[in-house]
Structure formats: structure tokens, C-alpha cells
DNA sequence: CGCCGCCAAAATGTGCACATTCATGCCAGT
DNA sequence: ACTGGCATGAATGTGCACATTTTGGCGGCG
């Protein structure tokens, strides 16, 4: 376990930390640190399960430990990292089931959004959707996975933003940002997270003012993602076996093999 | 302004603080303090705009200031109180528009919930809804407003919990708890926040497996609430005028009269 | 007479040092 | 040789003291 933690930590140091920038006397505002860590967690630069030690981060960012502490606790309150009392913070290691719940939640709520969207539909908005689809296509065409993931999320944000309710936008934005974490864990690298065509079909349904179909399509869209997650999980179970038994060798024996990730919170 | 704050603060002291309990050597766990403040904010014991001074709360709860500080920042992250850097924490003073947004969000999202609920509908669940309606009726009959508000929120929680997605439940629970704050500010005391009959109509639609009607009813239900809020606002505008000009007398001139509450965040 | 700028008090923010808790490795006992 | 308890060390949690910012009041100046 020692080895595992050290390896992961060292990886973090070189992937995200940019210590030289941090050690410049730049005061590094709270928000900047918050965003840096949140982004690193979300885009997968930090491996799931990585420990986020306070003094180490403090050294990396060149600020006091209390500062990091505050940020870490805030991230914990936002459910972006896991904090265990007296045991510190870790990059969350979502269960397949948790991931599924996030996607299901998104699916359920987006149905409501689409229903409400019926009133806000106008040509200008449809044109914006078309433009977005074009961008998605372009990114997919040149194989830019990072852009694809981002744009793919942006599509759903575009939908909810059209309602013009900041509160609503914030809720779905949170949901989306949390599901982004999981993409990096469970999604195979060669698949785009949302099929562009499925987005296109939703737009067509909206253009035809057929909200019912749009909802159906959106639902199936999310179900596809969920389903693919489960398949992927089964596919690389062999690889995962190693992760299953690693904790048992070093730490206290895990409570049960089957619940290896289920008893975190 | 001084007078206003002092009055509000004094009121807080006697309404919620229970200083004698706090000064008992009871260590008062973080969660307990968090809940105490959150509840006080939510149920209206604390007047909107009341300042939550750290050292004062520390004295009241009999803990160190840092403890309060942590809790306050957490409450701020949860959007349950407003925190302005270097200016401390205050009980939020929601704009009518913000309240409307919360209700609109709830309305939009609950439509999705009802759609998803179609799959989870069984007789046991309908029976539970009936039982809940009976409770609501009972509370309304004996004029127990506090119980009514609580049960009324519980109805919507019952709906979302039926889907069995904890993540979804958490999101709507948050939304509901935030709208509870506003009830105390804008709702007249003699009206129940959710008409029991409207809840009953939704249940009937569900029983008939007519999800479309249930969504319609739910939508109108929330629209009623929103509408009533606006009427109430217009009704006591005279009282509010005083609040409009008070900040200008004491503090820096407000940026604009119309945005008196809109520029808080 | 009114306005601008300064001063002091109070409240928040921050860093430091100490207390507490948890994990790991060692040693003794069976 | 293995299990159990114990000690040590590292990491987190907490309180205290100081720095910074804001606010309300006051005096001088235009």
C-alpha cells in the first residue's frame, strides 16, 4: 500500500502540480487552488484513491497548510473529494453503482428540463444547438477526445441554460462535473462519452417540437452511457482483480471483497 | 442599522441560542452546531439579514471561534447562508426572484421525477402516499402550520425517494430545504404552503397511471406557489420600502434602488 | 454648513504551535 | 511461526495570537 500511495503521489507531482510555478511568490488565491485541485480531480490527472495530504499540497502550492485545509474541506462539502475524519482527503473512487446513479439522476432531471424547454424553443436557440453540434462533429473528426468530452457536456449545459434559471443550471452543472470524474475512471479511451449522433437526434426532435421524442431520445442516450459503463466494468474485471486484493496485503483486511468500494462513505 | 442589527441579534439570542445549554460543558460536535444553525436559518427563527458573528456564536455554543468558522464556511458552501469575504456571514435575504427560481427549478425537476416514477409505481407506494395525505389533512385540520409545512415538503420527498436514487433524493432535498427558508420570509402565516388538495390530485393522477396529468398538476401546483409569492410581495411592498432605503442611510449608497437585494453575491 | 479624509475599534482572516488520532513496525508470548 | 498488544511516527484537528480589512465616528478644511 505504501508503494501504491507513493507511486500515485509522485505521479501527481509531475502531472499537475507545477511546483516551480507554485513556489514563485504568487499568493495563489483560495479560488485558484480550489479550481486547480477540482480540475485535476475531475479530468483524471489524479488517479482515483490518491491521497491528498495537506502538508504536501501546501508545499506544492506554496501556501500554508490551513489554506489547503480550508479548500480541501470545501471540496469535500461539494462531494468532489472524499474526506474521512482524522484520515485526510482522497480522490474519490466511485463505485460503478455510484456512477450509474449520477447518470440516472441526470437522465431523470434532463427529462424535466426538456419538458420545460418546450416554451423556450426559438430559432436562435436551435441555431446555437446546430453550431454546437458542428463543433462536436469537428472534434470527433479530428479525434480530439478531450475536446469531445468537454463539448459533449456542453451540449447538455446548453439545454438547461436555455431555460434561463441560474439555479437550475447550477444544479445540472454540478451533476455534470461530477460525472466527468467518472468518465476518466470507467470510460475506455477510444469511445467518446456521448455519441454526437444521439445529440443530433435530440436536436432534430426539438426542431420538430416533438418534446416527447426528445425526452425518449435523451433517456436512451443516458441509458446507453450507463449500459456501456457496466459492460466496460465487466470487460476489465480481470485488471481490477489486482486492485481488489491490493488493499488486503497492506492494510487491515477489507471488510468484504464484494464491497471493496461500497463502504467508503 | 446598528439598531436593526442589535435588535435582530438580541432576538436570535433568545429564540434559538439556548445559551444555558451551550455553556454546559457539552462539547457540541460540529454536526450539531451545523444542524442547529441550518435549522434556525431554515425555519425562520433567525430573521433574514441577521449577521452571524463568529465570536458571538462561539460564545453561545461554548466552543472556539474556529469551530464556528468552519461550520459557517460549510454552510456558505451549501448556499444556506451568505458569506461575504471580510464581512462575515449573514442569514440570506432571498430576492423574490431567487425564490421564484428555486420553485421553478423544483417544478422543472419534479416533472422529470414524475416521468421516471411511472416505472416505480406500485400499490404499496400509492398506499404510502395516501397515508401521507391523511397526515397532511390532519395537520391542516388542527391548524398546525409548522407540521403542515413539514409534511407538505415531505410529500415531494416521498415522490423522489420512490425512485430509489440517493443522489437524486439529495438534490431535491437540498432544493426543498432552501425553499423552506423562503417560506418564512414571503409566505403569509395563514396559508399552508402547499394545498393538500393539489397533492391529492397528483396522487389520483398517479393512481390512474396518467403521468402526463400528474406532471401538469404538479406544474400548476408549483406555479400557484410562485404566483402567490408574487402577490404577497406586491401586498407588503409598503413595508418593504423601509428596508429599501435603510441601507442607504447607514452604509455606502447602494448601487441602485431596483437591485437592492440583487447584488448580494 | 457640508464634505473629505483620517483614526480607532471591532470583526474577520491567517499562520503557528500543540493536542489528538491513526497507522505501521516491533517485540513478546503462546 | 503466528498472533496480539504496544510504542513510535506521521498526519490531522484545534486553539491561540497576530495581521488585515472594514466600519463608524471625529475633526479639519473648503
Amino acid at each position: 500500500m505504501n508503494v501504491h500511495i507513493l507511486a500515485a503521489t509522485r505521479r501527481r507531482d509531475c502531472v499537475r502540480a507545477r511546483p516551480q510555478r507554485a513556489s514563485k511568490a504568487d499568493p495563489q488565491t483560495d479560488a485558484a487552488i480550489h479550481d486547480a485541485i477540482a480540475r485535476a480531480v475531475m479530468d483524471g490527472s489524479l488517479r482515483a484513491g490518491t491521497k491528498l495530504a495537506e502538508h504536501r499540497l501546501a508545499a506544492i502550492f506554496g501556501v500554508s497548510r490551513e489554506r489547503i485545509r480550508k479548500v480541501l474541506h470545501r471540496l469535500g462539502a461539494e462531494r468532489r473529494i472524499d474526506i474521512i475524519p482524522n484520515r485526510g482527503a482522497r480522490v474519490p473512487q466511485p463505485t460503478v453503482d455510484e456512477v450509474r446513479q449520477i447518470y440516472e439522476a441526470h437522465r431523470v432531471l434532463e427529462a424535466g428540463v426538456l419538458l420545460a424547454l418546450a416554451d423556450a424553443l426559438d430559432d436562435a436557440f436551435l441555431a446555437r444547438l446546430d453550431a454546437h453540434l458542428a463543433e462536436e462533429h469537428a472534434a470527433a473528426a479530428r479525434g480530439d477526445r478531450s475536446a469531445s468530452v468537454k463539448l459533449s457536456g456542453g451540449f447538455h449545459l446548453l439545454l438547461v441554460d436555455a431555460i434561463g434559471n441560474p439555479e437550475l443550471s447550477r444544479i445540472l452543472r454540478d451533476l455534470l462535473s461530477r460525472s466527468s470524474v467518472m468518465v476518466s475512471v470507467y470510460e475506455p479511451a477510444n469511445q467518446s462519452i456521448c455519441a454526437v449522433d444521439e445529440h443530433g437526434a435530440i436536436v432534430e426532435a426539438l426542431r420538430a417540437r416533438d418534446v416527447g421524442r426528445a425526452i425518449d431520445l435523451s433517456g436512451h442516450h443516458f441509458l446507453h452511457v450507463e449500459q456501456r459503463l457496466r459492460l466496460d466494468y465487466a470487460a476489465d474485471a480481470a485488471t481490477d482483480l489486482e486492485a481488489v486484493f491490493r488493499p488486503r496485503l497492506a492494510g487491515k483486511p477489507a471488510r468484504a471483497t464484494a464491497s471493496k468500494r461500497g463502504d467508503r462513505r
Side-chain angles (χ1 to χ4, degrees), chain A residues 125-154:
Chain A
F125 176 58
L126 287 170
R128 234 176 312 153
L129 286 178
D130 285 335
H132 190 91
L133 283 181
E135 280 192 74
E136 284 193 66
H137 267 118
R142 60 173 197 274
D144 186 342
R145 177 172 159 78
S146 145
S148 285
V149 171
K150 197 169 171 180
L151 286 168
S152 164

Side-chain angles (χ1 to χ4, degrees), chain A residues 96-108 186-187 193 198 218-233:
Chain A
V96 182
D97 209 57
E98 287 175 317
V99 180
R100 197 189 55 74
Q101 279 179 16
I102 298 279
Y103 281 123
E104 184 188 38
H106 206 155
R107 171 169 60 87
V108 169
Y186 291 107
E187 281 288 320
I193 176 64
E198 294 183 340
S218 160
H220 284 116
H221 175 52
F222 280 106
L223 281 175
H224 282 173
V225 178
E226 287 180 44
Q227 229 158 6
R228 210 163 56 193
L229 281 177
R230 277 185 261 200
L231 289 177
D232 294 343
Y233 180 63

Side-chain angles (χ1 to χ4, degrees), chain A residues 179-197:
Chain A
S179 70
S180 300
V181 191
M182 301 151 177
V183 174
S184 62
V185 180
Y186 291 107
E187 281 288 320
N190 57 346
Q191 287 186 352
S192 98
I193 176 64
C194 287
V196 183
D197 292 341

Side-chain angles (χ1 to χ4, degrees), chain A residues 190-255:
Chain A
N190 57 346
Q191 287 186 352
S192 98
I193 176 64
C194 287
V196 183
D197 292 341
E198 294 183 340
H199 286 177
I202 294 174
V203 172
E204 285 320 306
L206 287 178
R207 195 188 312 280
R209 263 63 172 180
D210 188 345
V211 175
R213 198 170 96 232
I215 291 175
D216 266 8
L217 288 168
S218 160
H220 284 116
H221 175 52
F222 280 106
L223 281 175
H224 282 173
V225 178
E226 287 180 44
Q227 229 158 6
R228 210 163 56 193
L229 281 177
R230 277 185 261 200
L231 289 177
D232 294 343
Y233 180 63
D236 67 348
T239 320
D240 240 345
L241 278 181
E242 187 193 354
V244 172
F245 293 113
R246 204 182 296 153
R248 312 195 81 177
L249 297 175
K252 271 183 188 173
R255 251 159 287 186

